[in-house]
Amino acid sequence: MKKDIILCGVGGQGILSIATIIGAAATKAGLQLKQAEVHGMSQRGGDVQSNLRLSDETIYSDLIPQGKADLVISMEPMESLRYLPYLAADGTVVTSSKPFVNIPNYPAEDDVLAEVRALPSAVMLDIETVAQEAGNPRGANMVLLGMAAPFIGILSVEQLREAIAVVFARKGEAVVEGNLKAFDLGVEASRS
């Protein structure tokens, strides 16, 4: 079994933390893992993306070919559209419904959201609002990971929860619990 995932967003939104958690869960599960990142513009609010390939067999390349991604996980809806050429015909997009407008010519929000809604398989949620309601305004990326968890398939929700606890352990129990709560709300939203 394999899973090819593209993670994308804008610098500072927590995409690389999501990649770290998925990678930690995959490593503990004994899966093969390859990852390639682009994050040079992250300090300026630029595009950040990561190719994450998981498999129970050998992986020969860290880059996902066009049309082969099983899942696009995006912190920002326009960024999810940027990576559609990489999405497989039966792939799924999991994205925030709240744009991060950081450029003067950002397309009309309604147009962007309509394009995401028109996709054959897409899940959208205002992850920032859910994170605030969970008491963890910085946990929007964990809400997004929770939303994506049922679509990852090769890893269970529990394996991802365990990885969150390990990755955030050095920041203390309150941070771990806040991130787990945000993650669980994302899982719940995705399943309903």
Side-chain angles (χ1 to χ4, degrees):
M1 178 178 212
K2 73 161 189 63
K3 193 61 80 162
D4 287 339
I5 304 168
I6 292 182
L7 303 161
C8 57
V10 174
Q13 288 187 304
I15 283 297
L16 300 181
S17 294
I18 293 173
T20 299
I21 291 163
I22 295 172
T27 300
K28 185 170 183 196
L31 296 172
Q32 299 290 313
L33 166 72
K34 294 271 187 191
Q35 182 177 357
E37 301 173 350
V38 175
H39 52 89
M41 294 297 293
S42 64
Q43 295 175 345
R44 294 196 175 115
D47 175 35
V48 176
Q49 66 93 9
S50 179
N51 282 233
L52 191 56
R53 306 188 82 187
L54 313 173
S55 180
D56 54 8
E57 297 178 11
T58 303
I59 303 168
Y60 294 100
S61 173
D62 54 354
L63 297 177
I64 300 169
Q66 286 194 359
K68 298 295 184 182
D70 301 295
L71 187 58
V72 171
I73 303 172
S74 180
M75 289 291 296
E76 206 284 325
M78 188 177 76
E79 291 299 324
S80 71
L81 298 176
R82 181 189 310 258
Y83 293 97
L84 287 182
Y86 291 89
L87 190 65
D90 60 349
T92 299
V93 171
V94 178
T95 186
S96 173
S97 62
K98 186 174 180 184
F100 183 88
V101 181
N102 62 337
I103 55 174
N105 60 344
Y106 194 98
E109 180 178 335
D110 290 342
D111 294 344
V112 171
L113 297 179
E115 197 166 336
V116 173
R117 284 187 194 102
L119 297 172
S121 180
V123 179
M124 240 185 338
L125 181 69
D126 182 346
I127 58 176
E128 291 83 4
T129 298
V130 172
Q132 286 177 347
E133 290 169 357
N136 184 9
R138 296 186 65 193
N141 61 335
M142 292 300 101
V143 174
L144 185 68
L145 177 57
M147 287 173 54
F151 300 98
I152 293 174
I154 197 166
L155 295 168
S156 70
V157 168
E158 193 52 43
Q159 287 171 310
L160 292 167
R161 288 183 100 260
E162 290 171 10
I164 289 169
V166 168
V167 168
F168 289 109
R170 66 182 174 81
K171 294 189 176 192
E173 190 62 31
V175 172
V176 170
E177 289 306 314
N179 282 308
L180 287 172
K181 183 176 181 182
F183 174 82
D184 291 339
L185 288 171
V187 172
E188 182 181 314
S190 190
R191 289 180 172 165
S192 62

